[in-house]
Amino acid sequence: MNRRASARASGDMGMFAIDRSSLRLAGVDEAGRGPLAGPVAVAAVILDPARPVEGLNDSKKLSHARREALYPLIVERAAAWHVEMMAVAEIDRLNILHATLEGMRRCVVALGPQVELVRIDGNAVPKALPCMAEALVGGDALEPAIMAASILAKVARDRLMCRLHAEHPQYGFDLHKGYPTPAHLAALSLHGPCPHHRRSFAPVRESAARMREREPAFEA
């Protein structure tokens, strides 16, 4: 089964065939599921065929400079777009998968009734969407609207992590963006977690436990 054939759809109209090429499409993607710190960013984009954006691709295949150059073009030329940041507290409460799916749902709802079909990068579709939806494995390399969403999510999150670096420079968020690099793990071991670390992730939870063990005991 090829990647397109593996797309999972929701919201079909029973046995009546639908020409999906005529539906107004929103692409949805996320950035930041793997990091130990910071929010997960989700974006949804409706591209305007009359105002194409050249050079779209999976954000992971683009340089930092190219993503930064494409971001304002997408924002300016898209028919509609929205970026949702799912905070660390929500990630810890819901778990990372369900927080990401909830962010996707919020993005689609934010775009309003103009969206008729959503294509989501990955293999899961959020519940309670107001329109039809398809999960497309490898969609960020196949669907231009998903490519645009991946760029918005990645750039918006990277910028936020650089702002968090200014508050907590000891972790190096500006370099690794919260991902579990050796440098980040070393800083976490030395300083313990900050308020922007995800306590539900094992390395953060273990670091917090070690820091508690180091605290001196005071006699009453």
Side-chain angles (χ1 to χ4, degrees):
M1 182 179 291
N2 62 36
R3 289 190 295 183
R4 285 188 181 275
S6 68
R8 174 182 162 204
S10 68
D12 283 335
M13 302 296 289
M15 63 182 169
F16 296 99
I18 297 172
D19 179 10
R20 298 194 175 201
S21 64
S22 65
L23 299 179
R24 189 141 202 200
L25 168 71
V28 178
D29 202 0
E30 53 76 26
R33 285 181 62 172
L36 304 179
V40 62
V42 185
V45 178
I46 302 174
L47 293 175
D48 183 351
R51 305 185 73 195
V53 180
E54 301 296 332
L56 293 176
N57 203 341
D58 174 6
S59 63
K60 296 184 291 295
K61 298 179 180 178
L62 299 171
S63 67
H64 169 79
R66 188 62 184 144
R67 290 193 298 266
E68 286 286 347
L70 285 168
Y71 185 97
L73 293 179
I74 296 168
V75 168
E76 177 190 357
R77 298 180 187 179
W81 63 276
H82 182 75
V83 175
E84 189 78 23
M85 293 288 182
M86 296 298 291
V88 167
E90 292 183 288
I91 293 171
D92 288 341
R93 179 173 60 86
L94 298 173
N95 78 38
I96 186 60
L97 172 61
H98 289 98
T100 302
L101 292 174
E102 172 59 16
M104 292 176 172
R105 187 195 68 80
R106 292 179 189 177
C107 273
V108 174
V109 170
L111 294 183
Q114 62 184 313
V115 182
E116 298 172 314
L117 172 65
V118 175
R119 284 197 176 131
I120 298 169
D121 182 50
N123 60 4
V125 172
K127 296 179 180 179
L129 289 177
C131 60
M132 290 186 295
E134 299 173 338
L136 189 59
V137 176
D140 50 6
L142 298 170
E143 170 57 59
I146 296 178
M147 296 175 190
S150 76
I151 293 167
L152 292 195
K154 173 66 173 168
V155 171
R157 186 180 188 280
D158 283 358
R159 291 175 177 177
L160 175 58
M161 294 308 295
C162 288
R163 293 197 295 273
L164 294 183
H165 170 74
E167 298 176 16
H168 304 278
Q170 66 270 35
Y171 298 102
F173 290 149
D174 60 329
L175 298 176
H176 52 65
K177 308 303 187 291
Y179 282 89
T181 64
H184 187 191
L185 292 173
L188 192 59
S189 177
L190 179 63
H191 303 289
C194 76
H196 302 291
H197 278 98
R198 303 173 181 178
R199 263 62 178 180
S200 56
F201 281 44
V204 178
R205 187 169 60 249
E206 293 164 3
S207 173
R210 287 194 299 270
M211 296 303 289
R212 287 194 297 270
E213 290 172 0
R214 296 178 195 171
E215 293 176 355
F218 294 96
E219 294 184 3

